[in-house]
Amino acid sequence: MAKPTSASHESWLPEANLTSADFPLTHLPYGAFEHEGRQRLCVAIGAHLLDLYACANSSLLPPSLIEACQAPFLNPLMALGHRSWTLLRETLTSLLHVDAARDRRQGAEAALHSIVGTALVKPALVPNYTDFYASLHHATRVGRIFRPEQPLLPNYKYVPIGYHGRASSIIPSGMPVIRPIGQSRPSNPNEKPNFHATRSLDYELELALYIGQGNLLGTPISITEADSHLFGISLLNDWSARDIQSWEYQPLGPFLGKNFATTISPWITPMAALEPFRVPATPRPKDDPEPLRYLHSEADRQRGNFNVKLEVLLSTSTMRENRLGPYLLSESNLGDLYWTPAQLITHHTSNGCNLQIGDILATGTISGPAEASGGCLLELTRNGTEPRLLPTGETRAFLADGDEIIFRGSCEAPSQPRIGLGECRAMILPARG
């Protein structure tokens, strides 16, 4: 059995103290769940969730936080700002610490629910969704497939590339994804395009950056202030129909090949929990241009990224029928991104665009430098030309109906308890009609 955490990080919940725990006392990610027909906010601790609505009703929280913690979504809490986020985190840490007063511990115990068997739902209202393209390794490998003579376009190393996605089709982990139907490129240029269910359904391993504090229209966020606008992160799967995407994306970019579904994890890891896992921004090769002045700060260069290890796993119908565990497709790390989270926020608002509380900025596919660390099947199979062989003898160029994709993430650092981001998963269902 894994060894427990140090006494300073110890909870009275034993499973929260194991080094293998995703949700130790130092994590406390936010989520939401269904309880007696209502949606309630919670934090995860060990194998349980702590009901914030119940805590608010039991006078376990400061009066200034009660209304926000009784809300069904995190947006009112986000709106209160950093002081309130810190106050709530300190209150919950004290409440769940091994040295908590007996009466407060008893109150917290009454507000606990097992995560297993609980219906987790989207924890925040998302007004807007922007998807970036922040991995140089992903952009280069995709470029080699479609533009071998010029894999990267001239603007990539100057501009954090992004597009506005569809917030209405963001769905919670566990909800199935229906195979989309759309136009795709005809095999003969003189023929009409096809219109059928996608034959090139793909996932994209990403992280969601939740905006906790917005900005006024016409007022850019500077690179030195960008971090203060972040509330937390979660796993995100930007599903992609590659055949639909490749036919429609010119001249204006992604549309129906992307907006049919985006899956998010039920847990939002607060930025305070990520502080011990900060790492420098990825060093730029000597021949690369320096970021323009508005995208550069020494603090961001020194500590602007995070060591978040990421995994993609695939479970097919055949695997489940034979009681086989999911197959690991790839591993990568958030720290390999070319552009940092702060640079994404700063660039997004550089023209005066107003971010809103609850907005999601997605990183784009997170791929590492090794070919095997690609964050999507487009990379791993070279657009389907080199299918992956699975332990069952099956092959996958792209996803089949009945496949389930699972994302996992974790953070580790010396003298710090490990934290896990939980899972982001969804199964593919056949197209309708």
Side-chain angles (χ1 to χ4, degrees), residues 135 137-138 141 332-333 336-337 365-369 373-376 379:
S135 169
H137 306 299
H138 171 68
R141 280 197 284 270
S332 58
N333 195 301
D336 287 327
L337 289 186
T365 305
I366 302 171
S367 301
S373 65
C376 61
E379 289 180 69

Side-chain angles (χ1 to χ4, degrees), residues 92-116:
L92 296 175
T93 300
S94 174
L95 190 62
L96 294 165
H97 192 271
V98 68
D99 294 331
R102 181 182 295 273
D103 60 332
R104 288 180 62 76
R105 171 174 169 172
Q106 289 174 341
E109 286 176 333
L112 287 176
H113 303 265
S114 173
I115 292 176
V116 175

